[in-house]
Amino acid sequence: YSPIDQGALAAAGSPLAAFATRLGCTTAQLALAALLAEPLALPIPKAVRPAHLQENWDAQRIVLSPDDRAAIDRACPPPTGK
């Protein structure tokens, strides 16, 4: 499952865009931060360029409140099937 790779979640005007703007990060960083906050998730983000690797690394510094996480889950629910 690769929500970022689907494009719609990271596009301008996406449900994550407003959250990302408020937190001062990219939509990709926000999505990665949300996955990192899940206790049983082990995201493995792709990075080809050094700048993208740094962007992924910086996502660990994003602090999401329980309210933020709940709002993200409502806006972008996880898939229900395989």
Side-chain angles (χ1 to χ4, degrees):
Y1 175 61
S2 180
I4 296 299
D5 205 25
Q6 292 176 4
L9 293 180
S14 73
L16 293 182
F19 293 109
T21 298
R22 184 172 56 82
L23 294 172
C25 63
T26 68
T27 53
Q29 285 177 311
L30 179 58
L32 182 54
L35 290 172
L36 289 168
E38 292 294 325
L40 297 176
L42 181 59
I44 303 172
K46 178 182 174 183
V48 176
R49 296 175 289 113
H52 193 195
L53 179 63
Q54 184 65 51
E55 181 180 306
N56 289 343
W57 179 256
D58 291 343
Q60 70 177 320
R61 295 187 179 112
I62 298 167
V63 178
L64 299 173
S65 71
D67 289 340
D68 289 334
R69 291 180 59 199
I72 291 167
D73 284 344
R74 283 190 305 275
C76 306
T80 57
K82 292 183 181 181

